[in-house]
């Protein structure tokens, strides 16, 4: 299973806002959640299996848009983006992407990027939200007291016993009524787990 996971995380870059309908759903959940969030408390986010960073920056932009609409200070957002692949993490933290990877970035969201020629990168305020960390979902301790967990199209690369272990960690990590933003594969896996009914997911 670890070999399969390593093949997954070594895959090249993904796209920003991949699956636009899912991100629209996520934005709605974030807005609703933040409306009921104590504005003095830190918003803690874990992105598991962040690959080369496009998803982490997409989530950061969604959060920035939401706090602007609701008037919440952006300094209260802390995003931990994890991956097992050091090369992916280096690329993600550097934040330089090619224009052919930007087809899902709307005109309104171009303000969150700057670029020259064929390359572009997220603005400093978006980059500063995210801490990229080497982390093994199976062998390292999870993070806790989280408002949002993002795990999209990662668990499909694990065996059943490992999936149950990772999901158990997520369950312990996420606040009650927190947001679990999943990919299609995770949605299928989670739909039969009664204990997840208290969480929202796309």
């Amino acid at each position: 299973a670890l070999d399969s996971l390593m093949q997954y995380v070594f895959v090249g870059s993904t796209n920003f806002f991949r699956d636009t309908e899912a991100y629209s759903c996520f934005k709605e959940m974030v807005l609703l959640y933040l409306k009921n969030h104590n504005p003095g408390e830190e918003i803690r986010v874990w992105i598991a299996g962040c690959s080369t960073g496009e998803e982490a920056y997409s989530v950061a932009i969604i959060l920035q848009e939401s706090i602007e609409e609701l008037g919440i200070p952006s300094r209260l957002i802390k995003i931990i983006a994890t991956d097992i692949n050091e090369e992916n993490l280096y690329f993600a933290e550097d934040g330089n992407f090619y224009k052919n990877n930007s087809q899902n970035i709307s005109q309104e969201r171009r303000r969150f990027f700057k670029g020259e020629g064929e390359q572009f990168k997220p603005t400093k305020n978006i980059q500063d939200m995210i801490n990229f960390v080497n982390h093994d979902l199976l062998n390292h301790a999870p993070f806790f007291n989280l408002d949002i967990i993002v795990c999209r199209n990662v668990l499909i690369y694990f065996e059943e016993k490992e999936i149950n272990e990772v999901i158990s960690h997520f369950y312990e990590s996420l606040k009650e009524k927190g947001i679990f933003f999943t990919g299609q594969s995770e949605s299928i896996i989670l739909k039969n787990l009664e204990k997840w009914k208290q969480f929202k997911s796309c």
Side-chain angles (χ1 to χ4, degrees), residues 135-189:
H135 183 273
D136 184 336
L137 285 173
L138 294 175
N139 297 310
H140 293 165
F143 304 92
F144 292 101
N145 199 33
L146 300 168
D147 297 282
I148 300 169
I149 294 176
V150 179
C151 182
R152 307 189 70 227
N153 306 311
V154 174
L155 296 184
I156 193 173
Y157 295 93
F158 290 82
E159 296 177 358
E160 183 177 359
K161 181 181 178 181
E162 297 165 337
I163 290 171
N164 291 334
E165 182 179 343
V166 172
I167 289 176
S168 178
H169 288 165
F170 287 160
Y171 181 76
E172 294 170 359
S173 299
L174 191 61
K175 292 179 181 178
E176 185 173 344
K177 298 183 180 179
I179 298 171
F180 187 58
F181 184 27
T182 68
Q184 187 64 36
S185 59
E186 284 79 16
S187 297
I188 293 170
I189 291 167

Side-chain angles (χ1 to χ4, degrees), residues 13 16 47 50-57 79-83 85-97 113-114 119-135:
S13 62
F16 289 89
I47 300 172
C50 68
S51 188
T52 47
E54 290 88 338
E55 187 168 74
Y57 290 119
I79 300 174
I80 305 167
T82 65
D83 202 275
N85 184 326
E86 287 283 2
E87 290 185 21
N88 281 349
L89 292 168
Y90 176 82
F91 185 93
E93 189 167 19
D94 186 53
N96 282 300
F97 300 94
F113 298 90
K114 58 183 180 180
Q119 286 192 305
F120 70 102
K121 67 187 307 177
T123 54
K124 187 177 185 301
N125 67 315
I126 295 299
Q127 287 190 291
D128 287 348
M129 288 185 191
I130 308 170
N131 185 21
F132 290 99
V133 177
N134 184 286
H135 183 273

Side-chain angles (χ1 to χ4, degrees), residues 108-122:
E108 292 81 6
R109 286 176 174 154
R110 301 281 172 175
R111 65 189 176 95
F112 296 112
F113 298 90
K114 58 183 180 180
E116 296 180 1
E118 290 302 309
Q119 286 192 305
F120 70 102
K121 67 187 307 177

